[in-house]
Amino acid sequence: MQLTLSVFLAGFACGQIFYGPLSDRFGRRPLMLGGLALFCAGSIGCVLATSIEMLVLARFVQALGACAGPVIGRAVVRDLWGASESARIIAYMGGAMAIAPLVGPTLGGFLTVLFGWQSNFLLLLLIGALQLVAVACMLSESNVHRDPAASNPRQMVANFARLLADRHYLAACSASPFPTARCSPSSRLRHSCSRIATG
Protein backbone atom coordinates (compact mmCIF):
# COMPACT_ATOMS: atom_id res chain seq x y z
CA MET A 1 0.00 0.00 0.00
CA GLN A 2 2.97 2.32 0.51
CA LEU A 3 3.49 2.13 -3.25
CA THR A 4 0.25 4.04 -3.83
CA LEU A 5 1.66 7.03 -1.93
CA SER A 6 5.01 6.87 -3.73
CA VAL A 7 3.30 6.70 -7.12
CA PHE A 8 1.00 9.58 -6.19
CA LEU A 9 3.96 11.78 -5.22
CA ALA A 10 5.78 10.83 -8.42
CA GLY A 11 2.77 11.70 -10.55
CA PHE A 12 2.24 14.94 -8.65
CA ALA A 13 5.85 15.98 -9.22
CA CYS A 14 5.97 14.97 -12.90
CA GLY A 15 2.68 16.62 -13.81
CA GLN A 16 3.85 20.02 -12.61
CA ILE A 17 6.52 20.09 -15.29
CA PHE A 18 3.91 20.24 -18.04
CA TYR A 19 0.99 22.23 -16.63
CA GLY A 20 2.88 25.53 -16.59
CA PRO A 21 4.02 25.54 -20.24
CA LEU A 22 0.71 24.11 -21.45
CA SER A 23 -1.29 26.76 -19.58
CA ASP A 24 0.99 29.43 -21.03
CA ARG A 25 0.09 28.20 -24.49
CA PHE A 26 -3.56 27.15 -24.19
CA GLY A 27 -4.76 29.19 -21.22
CA ARG A 28 -5.30 28.61 -17.52
CA ARG A 29 -9.00 27.73 -17.57
CA PRO A 30 -8.94 24.72 -19.93
CA LEU A 31 -5.92 23.22 -18.18
CA MET A 32 -7.53 23.67 -14.76
CA LEU A 33 -10.74 22.05 -15.97
CA GLY A 34 -8.80 19.21 -17.54
CA GLY A 35 -6.75 18.65 -14.40
CA LEU A 36 -9.84 18.55 -12.18
CA ALA A 37 -11.58 16.16 -14.58
CA LEU A 38 -8.50 13.93 -14.49
CA PHE A 39 -8.50 14.08 -10.69
CA CYS A 40 -12.15 13.03 -10.57
CA ALA A 41 -11.50 10.19 -13.02
CA GLY A 42 -8.60 8.97 -10.90
CA SER A 43 -10.75 9.16 -7.76
CA ILE A 44 -13.44 7.06 -9.42
CA GLY A 45 -10.78 4.56 -10.41
CA CYS A 46 -9.60 4.36 -6.79
CA VAL A 47 -13.13 3.72 -5.53
CA LEU A 48 -13.72 0.96 -8.10
CA ALA A 49 -10.26 -0.62 -7.85
CA THR A 50 -10.36 -4.39 -7.36
CA SER A 51 -6.60 -4.95 -7.20
CA ILE A 52 -3.54 -3.16 -5.92
CA GLU A 53 -2.37 -2.64 -9.51
CA MET A 54 -5.58 -0.85 -10.42
CA LEU A 55 -5.34 1.27 -7.29
CA VAL A 56 -1.75 2.27 -8.03
CA LEU A 57 -2.64 3.26 -11.61
CA ALA A 58 -5.69 5.21 -10.44
CA ARG A 59 -3.61 7.03 -7.86
CA PHE A 60 -1.13 8.04 -10.55
CA VAL A 61 -3.96 9.44 -12.70
CA GLN A 62 -5.37 11.20 -9.65
CA ALA A 63 -2.00 12.80 -8.95
CA LEU A 64 -1.62 14.05 -12.52
CA GLY A 65 -4.90 15.88 -12.07
CA ALA A 66 -4.27 17.02 -8.51
CA CYS A 67 -1.13 18.97 -9.33
CA ALA A 68 -3.03 21.25 -11.72
CA GLY A 69 -4.44 23.23 -8.80
CA PRO A 70 -1.19 24.34 -7.13
CA VAL A 71 0.53 25.14 -10.43
CA ILE A 72 -2.27 26.88 -12.29
CA GLY A 73 -3.70 28.49 -9.16
CA ARG A 74 -0.44 30.33 -8.60
CA ALA A 75 -0.27 31.25 -12.27
CA VAL A 76 -3.77 32.76 -12.09
CA VAL A 77 -2.75 34.78 -9.03
CA ARG A 78 0.30 35.99 -10.93
CA ASP A 79 -1.86 36.96 -13.91
CA LEU A 80 -4.38 38.89 -11.85
CA TRP A 81 -2.27 40.51 -9.13
CA GLY A 82 1.11 40.97 -10.80
CA ALA A 83 4.55 40.62 -9.29
CA SER A 84 4.11 42.95 -6.31
CA GLU A 85 0.82 41.66 -4.89
CA SER A 86 1.04 38.01 -5.91
CA ALA A 87 3.49 37.12 -3.12
CA ARG A 88 0.98 38.24 -0.48
CA ILE A 89 -1.89 36.29 -2.07
CA ILE A 90 0.22 33.16 -2.52
CA ALA A 91 1.21 33.39 1.16
CA TYR A 92 -2.48 33.27 2.07
CA MET A 93 -2.91 30.27 -0.22
CA GLY A 94 0.03 28.53 1.42
CA GLY A 95 -1.49 29.02 4.83
CA ALA A 96 -4.76 27.50 3.69
CA MET A 97 -2.98 24.57 2.02
CA ALA A 98 -1.07 23.86 5.23
CA ILE A 99 -4.33 22.91 6.94
CA ALA A 100 -4.90 19.86 4.69
CA PRO A 101 -1.98 17.76 6.02
CA LEU A 102 -3.17 18.49 9.55
CA VAL A 103 -6.82 17.59 9.04
CA GLY A 104 -6.50 14.95 6.30
CA PRO A 105 -5.02 12.00 8.25
CA THR A 106 -7.42 12.37 11.15
CA LEU A 107 -10.48 12.69 8.93
CA GLY A 108 -9.27 9.84 6.72
CA GLY A 109 -8.82 7.60 9.75
CA PHE A 110 -12.37 8.22 10.92
CA LEU A 111 -13.80 7.60 7.46
CA THR A 112 -11.84 4.36 7.08
CA VAL A 113 -13.00 3.00 10.43
CA LEU A 114 -16.63 4.01 9.93
CA PHE A 115 -17.19 3.42 6.21
CA GLY A 116 -14.17 1.65 4.75
CA TRP A 117 -11.13 2.91 2.83
CA GLN A 118 -13.12 3.68 -0.32
CA SER A 119 -14.96 6.45 1.53
CA ASN A 120 -11.77 8.53 1.49
CA PHE A 121 -11.75 8.53 -2.29
CA LEU A 122 -15.48 9.19 -2.44
CA LEU A 123 -14.89 12.32 -0.38
CA LEU A 124 -12.04 13.36 -2.69
CA LEU A 125 -14.30 12.74 -5.67
CA LEU A 126 -16.98 14.97 -4.15
CA ILE A 127 -14.46 17.74 -3.45
CA GLY A 128 -13.02 17.45 -6.96
CA ALA A 129 -16.47 17.54 -8.55
CA LEU A 130 -17.43 20.65 -6.57
CA GLN A 131 -14.21 22.36 -7.61
CA LEU A 132 -14.80 21.39 -11.22
CA VAL A 133 -18.25 22.98 -11.16
CA ALA A 134 -16.90 26.08 -9.38
CA VAL A 135 -14.10 26.55 -11.93
CA ALA A 136 -16.46 26.00 -14.84
CA CYS A 137 -18.92 28.57 -13.51
CA MET A 138 -16.67 31.16 -11.88
CA LEU A 139 -13.14 31.12 -13.28
CA SER A 140 -12.59 33.26 -16.35
CA GLU A 141 -9.45 33.05 -18.45
CA SER A 142 -6.64 35.11 -16.93
CA ASN A 143 -3.88 34.43 -19.45
CA VAL A 144 -4.39 37.19 -21.99
CA HIS A 145 -0.90 36.90 -23.48
CA ARG A 146 -0.59 33.31 -24.61
CA ASP A 147 2.75 32.00 -25.79
CA PRO A 148 2.52 29.59 -28.76
CA ALA A 149 6.12 28.49 -28.19
CA ALA A 150 5.69 27.73 -24.47
CA SER A 151 5.14 24.00 -24.98
CA ASN A 152 7.94 23.61 -27.52
CA PRO A 153 10.30 20.94 -26.10
CA ARG A 154 13.40 22.99 -26.92
CA GLN A 155 11.93 26.07 -25.27
CA MET A 156 10.96 24.05 -22.19
CA VAL A 157 14.45 22.58 -21.84
CA ALA A 158 16.02 26.02 -22.29
CA ASN A 159 13.71 27.49 -19.64
CA PHE A 160 14.51 24.72 -17.16
CA ALA A 161 18.23 25.14 -17.80
CA ARG A 162 18.05 28.87 -17.12
CA LEU A 163 16.09 28.28 -13.92
CA LEU A 164 18.62 25.73 -12.69
CA ALA A 165 21.34 28.33 -13.26
CA ASP A 166 19.49 30.91 -11.13
CA ARG A 167 20.90 30.92 -7.59
CA HIS A 168 17.80 32.62 -6.19
CA TYR A 169 15.56 29.87 -7.54
CA LEU A 170 17.86 27.13 -6.22
CA ALA A 171 18.03 28.80 -2.82
CA ALA A 172 14.24 28.95 -2.60
CA CYS A 173 13.96 25.27 -3.53
CA SER A 174 16.62 24.14 -1.06
CA ALA A 175 15.01 26.15 1.74
CA SER A 176 11.67 24.36 1.31
CA PRO A 177 11.18 20.81 2.59
CA PHE A 178 8.71 20.27 -0.24
CA PRO A 179 10.29 21.80 -3.35
CA THR A 180 7.68 20.35 -5.70
CA ALA A 181 5.00 22.32 -3.86
CA ARG A 182 6.72 25.71 -3.88
CA CYS A 183 9.34 25.68 -6.59
CA SER A 184 7.79 23.79 -9.46
CA PRO A 185 8.88 25.33 -12.75
CA SER A 186 5.40 26.35 -13.76
CA SER A 187 4.21 29.31 -15.72
CA ARG A 188 6.50 31.61 -13.70
CA LEU A 189 9.26 30.39 -16.03
CA ARG A 190 8.87 33.26 -18.41
CA HIS A 191 9.11 35.88 -15.65
CA SER A 192 12.07 34.17 -13.97
CA CYS A 193 13.94 33.81 -17.23
CA SER A 194 13.32 37.41 -18.20
CA ARG A 195 14.57 38.54 -14.78
CA ILE A 196 17.72 36.48 -15.23
CA ALA A 197 18.29 37.91 -18.69
CA THR A 198 17.90 41.49 -17.50
CA GLY A 199 19.79 41.20 -14.25
Side-chain angles (χ1 to χ4, degrees):
M1 294 300 290
Q2 293 296 323
L3 183 60
T4 61
L5 178 59
S6 300
V7 168
F8 182 90
L9 293 175
F12 195 91
C14 293
Q16 294 186 70
I17 297 173
F18 301 100
Y19 275 112
L22 289 175
S23 72
D24 278 348
R25 178 174 181 179
F26 299 107
R28 317 295 188 212
R29 191 173 188 274
L31 267 295
M32 182 69 88
L33 290 171
L36 287 170
L38 202 60
F39 176 80
C40 290
S43 299
I44 292 173
C46 290
V47 172
L48 300 178
T50 56
S51 67
I52 188 63
E53 292 81 10
M54 289 179 61
L55 181 60
V56 167
L57 178 60
R59 285 286 279 169
F60 184 77
V61 173
Q62 188 186 47
L64 291 178
C67 65
V71 174
I72 301 177
R74 287 174 170 84
V76 170
V77 169
R78 175 83 182 177
D79 293 337
L80 297 178
W81 276 274
S84 58
E85 287 294 312
S86 59
R88 180 175 59 86
I89 304 300
I90 290 175
Y92 291 147
M93 293 170 58
M97 291 174 63
I99 298 174
L102 299 175
V103 177
T106 303
L107 179 59
F110 279 120
L111 289 175
T112 300
V113 171
L114 294 175
F115 305 108
W117 63 268
Q118 292 95 336
S119 60
N120 289 280
F121 297 108
L122 284 172
L123 177 61
L124 291 176
L125 174 59
L126 175 61
I127 294 172
L130 291 174
Q131 289 181 327
L132 183 61
V133 172
V135 169
C137 295
M138 301 170 61
L139 181 66
S140 57
E141 181 56 57
S142 63
N143 183 8
V144 295
H145 303 291
R146 301 186 189 184
D147 182 4
S151 58
N152 183 288
R154 287 187 179 181
Q155 183 67 36
M156 290 175 64
V157 171
N159 286 340
F160 289 130
R162 298 181 76 173
L163 272 182
L164 292 175
D166 182 6
R167 66 179 185 276
H168 300 292
Y169 176 81
L170 295 177
C173 287
S174 63
S176 172
F178 302 103
T180 57
R182 287 189 179 179
C183 302
S184 61
S186 63
S187 55
R188 293 189 298 176
L189 277 168
R190 189 189 318 151
H191 170 73
S192 298
C193 291
S194 63
R195 183 176 56 80
I196 297 168
T198 57

